[in-house]
């Protein structure tokens, strides 16, 4: 029987009043701070109409700035800022002025607070076995310190191989640091972490909710995958630490992914991204070297672009837009999630309309069907303008690769979606080098051979419920 006593009615009325007030205040805040007018209107209407549901959702999913991290960067007395200034000074002898090549490259340098540098070498690592063979080889050869950061770390065969190697190096007296994302690696057992810490490995999650003002920030992720050894070599790319990344997933194998190794001054820019994240999570600085180690083997121009929700601008999305607008002949993109915003869609359409060879490679076998469903609405939009979209058919495609004309390629952790553009900490390595670009080109040509082009006729033949499902999924694209 429902209790209609006066006290219960009073408590219920008070609760309703509180949520209505919070809904109105949150709606005002959304109007003042939400990035787009469409998003502001959607949040405002929902917050006022359904405050019981919308208020908690807004304070978890409605924020696109990691304010605590922003404040850390503004603290000019912090060790992280001091290191950044020092790194810039030490990299001065290796700075390259690209001028108008790759658009106005100076715009990217202002986004990253770093410059393009020469005397670097980059190596293409195709798929998991080649990637982890190279990473483990360098970890085994480390003499001073090791920095490891992954979005996902599993306690499986590959995860235990990494753990055992880090423990062995820590016992040899090296400084070993391991940083993971709390949500991405939520399944990691305490025993796994305890074994590492007992051996002297310093381990922490990203701790995005650290501090009372940040306690609702569970929607931000640290999606970076970084390994740095002795300040001499760095690894960045799409692979996480799990058996699926070396082809052991029952449904998604063979897993198609790409990583890159860097040696030279650009390693320090990669290291800086790790150090800044570590400083946020622990309020302490890793013991590392900031002395540039130029490559003896090559002289590639490399630019490292960290991006995330603490940036002044939407760095990741701006990078992709800049790259697309810089293309004269071709722009090829490989991504597991194709859910871009309207600005990037417009850039792709304009590139195709001005005669650029625009190709987008997406998975034929999705790991997240609802995201693939949302992607199909964007696919229809770009195909109409002349963009060619291909579905990869040989396992799950997880690589994040971009190719511009015949001289530039980017490999990193960022997907082509709102989460990577605005909510995730990401890192991208841009290489300006004709020979390396040809290697990436040949890799992607092989991928296209294992793919099927999506045609306008196929899209027109889709059932009404599939089209409706795509449009509905698209509405939720900003938080997928």
């Amino acid at each position: 029987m429902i209790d209609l006593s006066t006290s219960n009615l009073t408590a219920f009325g008070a609760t309703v009043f509180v949520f209505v007030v919070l809904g109105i205040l949150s709606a005002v805040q959304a109007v003042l701070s939400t990035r787009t007018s469409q998003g502001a209107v959607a949040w405002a209407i929902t917050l006022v109409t359904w405050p019981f549901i919308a208020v908690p959702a807004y304070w978890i999913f409605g924020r696109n700035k990691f304010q605590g991290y922003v404040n850390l960067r503004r603290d000019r007395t912090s060790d992280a800022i001091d290191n950044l200034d020092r790194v810039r000074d030490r990299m001065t002898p290796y700075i390259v002025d690209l001028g108008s090549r790759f658009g106005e490259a100076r715009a990217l340098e202002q986004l990253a607070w770093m410059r393009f540098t020469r005397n670097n070498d980059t190596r293409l690592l195709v798929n998991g076995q080649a990637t982890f063979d190279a990473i483990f080889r360098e970890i085994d050869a480390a003499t001073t310190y090791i920095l490891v950061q992954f979005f996902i770390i599993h306690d499986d065969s590959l995860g235990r191989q990494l753990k055992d190697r880090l423990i062995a190096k820590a016992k040899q007296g090296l400084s070993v640091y391991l940083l993971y994302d709390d949500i991405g690696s939520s399944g990691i057992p305490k025993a796994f972490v305890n074994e590492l810490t007992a051996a002297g490995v310093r381990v922490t999650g990203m701790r995005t909710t650290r501090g009372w003002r940040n306690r609702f920030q569970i929607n931000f992720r640290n999606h970076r995958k970084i390994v740095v050894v002795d300040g001499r070599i760095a690894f960045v790319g799409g692979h996480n630490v799990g058996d699926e990344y070396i082809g052991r997933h029952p449904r998604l194998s063979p897993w198609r992914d790409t990583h890159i190794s860097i040696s030279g001054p650009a390693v320090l820019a990669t290291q800086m991204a790790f150090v800044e994240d570590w400083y946020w999570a622990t309020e302490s600085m890793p013991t590392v070297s900031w002395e540039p180690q130029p490559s003896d083997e090559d002289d590639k121009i490399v630019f490292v672009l960290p991006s995330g929700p603490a940036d002044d601008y939407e760095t990741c999305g701006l990078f992709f837009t800049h790259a697309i607008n810089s293309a004269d002949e071709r722009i090829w993109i490989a991504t597991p999630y194709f859910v871009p915003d309207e600005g990037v869609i417009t850039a792709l359409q304009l590139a195709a309309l001005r005669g650029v060879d625009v190709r987008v490679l997406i998975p034929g076998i999705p790991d997240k069907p609802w995201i693939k469903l949302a992607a199909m609405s964007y696919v229809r939009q770009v195909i109409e303008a002349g963009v060619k979209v291909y579905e990869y058919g040989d396992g799950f495609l997880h690589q994040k690769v971009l190719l511009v004309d015949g001289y530039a390629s980017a490999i990193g952790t960022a997907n082509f979606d709102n989460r990577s553009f605005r909510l995730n900490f990401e890192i991208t390595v841009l290489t300006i080098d004709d020979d390396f670009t040809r290697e990436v080109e040949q890799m992607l040509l092989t991928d296209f051979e294992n793919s099927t082009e999506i045609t306008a006729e196929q899209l027109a033949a889709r059932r009404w419920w599939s089209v409706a499902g795509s449009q509905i999924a698209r509405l939720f694209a900003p938080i997928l």
Side-chain angles (χ1 to χ4, degrees), residues 47-97:
L47 285 162
V48 172
T49 307
W50 302 97
F52 284 97
I53 299 172
V55 168
Y58 175 72
W59 289 105
I60 293 173
F61 299 112
R63 303 169 71 181
N64 61 3
K65 281 294 181 186
F66 192 159
Q67 198 57 48
Y69 209 119
V70 171
N71 293 338
L72 173 76
R73 285 180 166 174
R74 288 174 178 168
D75 180 5
R76 299 302 304 180
T77 65
S78 76
D79 294 332
I81 292 295
D82 181 58
N83 271 328
L84 179 59
D85 293 339
R86 195 183 333 152
V87 171
R88 283 172 169 170
D89 291 341
R90 294 190 178 185
M91 293 175 70
T92 299
Y94 307 100
I95 287 174
V96 175
D97 186 358

Side-chain angles (χ1 to χ4, degrees), residues 310-366:
D311 297 351
D312 293 334
Y313 304 97
E314 292 175 353
T315 302
C316 186
L318 287 174
F319 168 77
F320 281 113
T321 302
H322 181 94
I324 295 165
N325 291 336
S326 300
D328 294 319
E329 300 170 3
R330 64 179 173 183
I331 180 85
W332 294 357
I333 298 162
T335 178
Y337 311 123
F338 184 66
V339 193
D341 63 15
E342 290 302 320
V344 176
I345 286 289
T346 299
L348 289 171
Q349 291 171 324
L350 285 171
L353 290 171
R354 68 175 188 265
V356 175
D357 176 14
V358 185
R359 305 186 195 182
V360 179
L361 181 62
I362 62 175
I365 304 171

Side-chain angles (χ1 to χ4, degrees), residues 417-470:
D417 63 4
N418 177 76
R419 178 164 288 282
S420 284
F421 289 176
R422 298 184 183 89
L423 302 176
N424 288 350
F425 290 91
E426 306 282 5
I427 186 166
T428 301
V429 177
L430 174 65
T431 304
I432 308 294
D433 183 80
D434 294 353
D435 291 338
F436 186 76
T437 300
R438 278 192 288 271
E439 284 187 60
V440 176
E441 176 189 27
Q442 289 303 312
M443 177 188 73
L444 291 178
L445 286 173
T446 300
D447 291 334
F448 287 128
E449 289 174 1
N450 292 321
S451 306
T452 303
E453 185 177 356
I454 301 174
T455 65
E457 291 74 21
Q458 288 174 327
L459 292 176
R462 294 171 71 202
R463 300 291 182 87
W464 70 267
W465 50 264
S466 178
V467 175
S470 289

